[in-house]
Amino acid sequence: MNRRGFLGLLSGVAAGMALTGCGLAGQTGEQLASTARLPAPFRVPLPIPPLARPVSPGRYHLTQRVAPAEILPGLRTEILGYDGIFPGPTIETRRGEPVVVRHRNELRVPTVVHLHGGHTPHEHDGWPLDLVLPVGDTRNWPVHHGTGDRTEGERDYRYPMNQRAATLWYHDHRMDFTGPAVYRGLAGFHLVRDEVEDALPLPGGDRELPLMICDRSFEEDGSFAYPAVDQEMRSIPGVRDDWMEGVLGDVVLVNGAPWPVHEVDAARYRLRLLNASNARRYRLALTVPGGPDLPLTQIGSDGGLLAAPVPHDAIEIAPGERFDVVVDFSLVPVGTVVTVANGLGDGGTANVMRFHVVRRGRDDSRVPDRLAEVTPLVPPEGAPVRTFQFSRGATGDHRGWTINGRGFAPADSLADTRLGEVEIWRLVTDVHHPVHVHLDPFQVLRRDGRGPSDYDVGWKDTVDIRPAEVVDIAVRFTDYAGKFVMHCHNLEHEDMAMMATVRTI
């Protein structure tokens, strides 16, 4: 197949079949085997990331630094952590109350912080070339033929918070090196709250659990195993050829712990699910020994609360996506163990974590029939239609991943779109690509000419596009003119050029 044919709209099926490394069910990637001795599952307690404390009203300071962590019992793993922990501290903010987060870089490499899902001006969004250099390091780091600014040591990120309550997360977004940086620990939750959510009788307090799910592999000494071409994360992007479709770990971590267990009351719990894996997709179901799976009631998506709850038997979640669900553990007797199983995994990755229902509990929470106002984003007659093809292809003189046949060129915009106008974006794939759009959430209109799937409801900022699939989304950008990006959230694809500049005007 020649390059033109490979990139053609109708070549997705043939291209997907031709790619190697896509043999695991439901995955685009290659699994990397650990050489460390792995623990038995369901022995480590579930950690809950600590809340970040403001240094003054509306102001937070976080330090990015190398630190040791005991992820696998008895072994030490060197992490890159926000405040030296993985996940980083959870930041909680409220709609309409602007915040400033100062990041200090005490690592050995530059960083960029992106608030994933944030409605944020260009200069604070985490443009991949707006580098925060390590403290005291003034070396001439590569510019990558693009535009960006450089700050030595510290940078203030200003977030207006003029957005709905939602589960956001912050992570490194440096061009070419997002994959290894996130893999080694640079990720944390950012929860936005508002009066609409406050008025609902949803589970809260200790019965609201943020769950960052990711997969990692480990070397014999406990260090992270990652097949980077440049292990120092300095100049050469990407991974070795066998893993270019994506890096799949063989250990599932939840909040940084391997296959953890958590004791719960026989009551309703709110689970904020985040897939922070580099490439792995999950199909999550809550299994009960000798009984039916517990139902999952979805109340929110990437961009916040849904209009009405949606019942699921299982949740399919791709890298970058969030699902806000309520689970009622009173449906099983005290003493029951409930396992979060992964229908898209095998071996160790077939399980995620376990809940142990240990006591009765008073529960006055409920899930109302109506949750929040979600106005449909309806494209007007004659709305612009833009097509973006996500495909493997040449990026310069090497293999990589492209959008419309091009690798990331920071100075060139693939879409100039006017603020306030609704457009239709048609996203076409060869293999799995979870597509993330910065600045504003969107709504899914169609998949392969049919309606949205059950997982597409509400406001999304990341959409899971399956092999050889065509997905139409309604896009509208508001408030902030400037340069933003759209990219695949398979982080190996992103680092190997599957990203495009979008300019709002």
Side-chain angles (χ1 to χ4, degrees):
M1 183 180 296
N2 63 29
R3 185 167 181 266
R4 181 180 299 275
F6 179 81
L7 294 173
L9 179 63
L10 300 180
S11 70
V13 174
M17 292 174 64
L19 289 175
T20 61
C22 306
L24 296 178
Q27 308 293 348
T28 293
E30 186 71 28
Q31 188 157 292
L32 179 64
S34 293
T35 54
R37 184 170 59 87
L38 301 181
F42 318 131
R43 303 288 178 85
V44 178
L46 173 73
I48 303 299
L51 289 179
R53 294 184 177 181
V55 297
S56 61
R59 189 172 187 89
Y60 296 83
H61 288 178
L62 297 180
T63 299
Q64 305 162 9
R65 57 186 174 89
V66 176
E70 187 173 345
I71 296 176
L72 302 181
L75 294 175
R76 290 289 180 180
T77 302
E78 181 183 274
I79 67 164
L80 311 184
Y82 296 111
D83 277 0
I85 60 175
F86 168 55
T90 297
I91 299 174
E92 282 200 11
T93 58
R94 293 195 63 83
R95 182 178 189 174
E97 298 180 7
V99 297
V100 177
V101 182
R102 171 169 291 181
H103 280 270
R104 177 179 174 85
N105 181 4
E106 294 184 359
L107 302 171
R108 296 183 290 266
V109 295
T111 59
V112 174
V113 181
H114 169 53
L115 179 57
H116 185 126
H119 184 62
T120 305
H122 156 79
E123 59 270 27
H124 301 287
D125 180 63
W127 176 252
L129 287 156
D130 284 350
L131 303 182
V132 182
L133 302 180
V135 173
D137 188 342
T138 58
R139 281 176 291 176
N140 187 27
W141 290 90
V143 177
H144 300 296
H145 64 272
T147 57
D149 61 42
R150 296 165 183 230
T151 305
E152 183 186 338
E154 295 181 343
R155 183 186 180 105
D156 284 353
Y157 292 88
R158 300 179 182 275
Y159 302 129
M161 289 294 111
N162 54 342
Q163 60 185 105
R164 308 168 79 233
T167 303
L168 313 183
W169 63 301
Y170 62 101
H171 61 79
D172 192 71
H173 206 261
R174 175 188 166 205
M175 179 177 167
D176 296 342
F177 294 96
T178 297
V182 173
Y183 195 92
R184 292 181 168 104
L186 288 177
F189 279 102
H190 184 132
L191 307 182
V192 184
R193 302 190 183 276
D194 66 13
E195 294 180 355
V196 174
E197 182 186 75
D198 293 345
L200 299 175
L202 299 171
D206 291 341
R207 294 179 183 168
E208 179 184 326
L209 300 175
L211 301 177
M212 179 184 290
I213 303 170
C214 60
D215 59 331
R216 301 289 187 264
S217 295
F218 295 86
E219 303 286 5
E220 186 175 3
D221 63 358
S223 60
F224 285 124
Y226 185 80
V229 175
D230 179 359
Q231 289 290 333
E232 298 300 317
M233 299 169 53
R234 292 187 177 274
S235 60
I236 305 174
V239 291
R240 300 196 298 270
D241 284 350
D242 286 349
W243 285 274
M244 111 171 251
E245 281 77 29
V247 177
L248 306 176
D250 59 359
V251 177
V252 179
L253 305 179
V254 184
N255 293 349
W259 303 290
V261 62
H262 188 64
E263 294 184 350
V264 295
D265 303 331
R268 294 180 189 86
Y269 278 71
R270 179 179 183 176
L271 310 180
R272 294 178 180 261
L273 304 173
L274 159 64
N275 183 350
S277 297
N278 280 33
R280 184 177 292 278
R281 301 169 66 250
Y282 300 84
R283 180 176 173 84
L284 305 175
L286 273 65
T287 63
V288 177
D293 294 351
L294 285 184
L296 297 151
T297 302
Q298 184 184 355
I299 60 171
S301 187
D302 303 336
L305 291 171
L306 308 181
V310 176
H312 296 286
D313 296 325
I315 294 288
E316 291 189 10
I317 182 169
E321 286 189 299
R322 285 90 68 211
F323 283 82
D324 202 341
V325 302
V326 172
V327 176
D328 189 353
F329 290 107
S330 72
L331 297 176
V332 296
V334 170
T336 301
V337 292
V338 179
T339 300
V340 182
N342 172 26
L344 298 180
D346 57 9
T349 63
N351 291 309
V352 174
M353 66 171 294
R354 178 168 284 175
F355 293 102
H356 188 192
V357 184
V358 296
R359 67 185 73 83
R360 299 183 185 278
R362 179 180 177 182
D363 187 6
D364 56 3
S365 72
R366 63 184 180 87
V367 179
D369 294 334
R370 301 298 299 173
L371 296 167
E373 186 69 28
V374 178
T375 303
L377 197 56
V378 180
E381 188 73 24
V385 179
R386 303 179 189 269
T387 298
F388 300 98
Q389 299 177 42
F390 292 77
S391 307
R392 188 168 176 169
T395 57
D397 59 356
H398 58 274
R399 294 186 304 158
W401 297 91
T402 66
I403 301 177
N404 288 354
R406 302 175 58 188
F408 183 42
D412 300 332
S413 173
L414 276 193
D416 285 358
T417 178
R418 293 189 177 279
L419 292 173
E421 292 188 358
V422 180
E423 299 186 350
I424 299 172
W425 286 12
R426 180 159 294 158
L427 311 176
V428 185
T429 59
D430 52 2
V431 293
H432 278 109
H433 295 295
V435 176
H436 173 48
V437 180
H438 286 217
L439 179 58
D440 275 291
F442 51 79
Q443 293 180 6
V444 178
L445 300 174
R446 291 174 291 275
R447 285 183 180 267
D448 285 338
R450 298 181 292 275
S453 80
D454 291 341
Y455 303 120
D456 292 330
V457 291
W459 289 102
K460 300 282 293 173
D461 59 49
T462 307
V463 59
D464 184 21
I465 309 178
R466 300 171 182 87
E469 192 169 42
V470 179
V471 173
D472 290 348
I473 62 174
V475 175
R476 180 186 60 196
F477 298 108
T478 59
D479 297 329
Y480 307 119
K483 291 189 304 181
F484 297 88
V485 291
M486 166 183 62
H487 59 85
C488 179
H489 222 282
N490 178 319
L491 299 185
E492 283 69 55
H493 296 186
E494 176 185 340
D495 284 347
M496 300 179 78
M498 190 169 263
M499 184 155 56
T501 298
V502 174
R503 187 168 59 186
T504 56
I505 56 177

